[in-house]
Amino acid sequence: MSEPLNGVGNRHWKLFSDDNYFDTHGVFTSLVWATPLLGNALLAVLFLLRSTLQMLVKVKRVQLQESRKKKQK
């Protein structure tokens, strides 16, 4: 999908830019669209990892507290 858009940009780049960023393979358009998506995906993974680690710490603390209570009895 990015190759046709880059083709249009390649033909009309002088109307809106000083430099021609548009190649025939659609790399520029792919980067412009993919970089924010990859950034969002990375943030989602980091937030999920953080949430998972927090939950793991909570569960482990409860397990340790219960094991201490059993040892005291």
Side-chain angles (χ1 to χ4, degrees):
M1 177 166 176
S2 64
E3 287 184 26
L5 288 174
N6 254 21
V8 171
N10 194 9
R11 288 190 296 277
H12 303 291
W13 67 271
K14 291 181 183 179
L15 297 174
F16 54 86
S17 178
D18 293 331
D19 294 321
N20 185 5
Y21 299 107
F22 303 95
D23 61 345
T24 57
H25 300 292
V27 174
F28 178 74
T29 306
S30 296
L31 284 175
V32 168
W33 284 5
T35 302
L37 294 174
L38 289 172
N40 286 340
L42 178 64
L43 281 175
V45 168
L46 291 175
F47 283 128
L48 286 171
L49 181 62
R50 179 177 170 229
S51 176
T52 302
L53 290 173
Q54 287 175 344
M55 184 61 68
L56 181 65
V57 168
K58 285 180 184 180
V59 168
K60 198 61 179 175
R61 283 182 181 162
V62 169
Q63 284 177 347
L64 289 172
Q65 287 174 355
E66 288 179 4
S67 69
R68 285 182 192 152
K69 285 180 184 179
K70 286 181 182 179
K71 286 182 181 179
Q72 288 177 356
K73 289 183 180 181

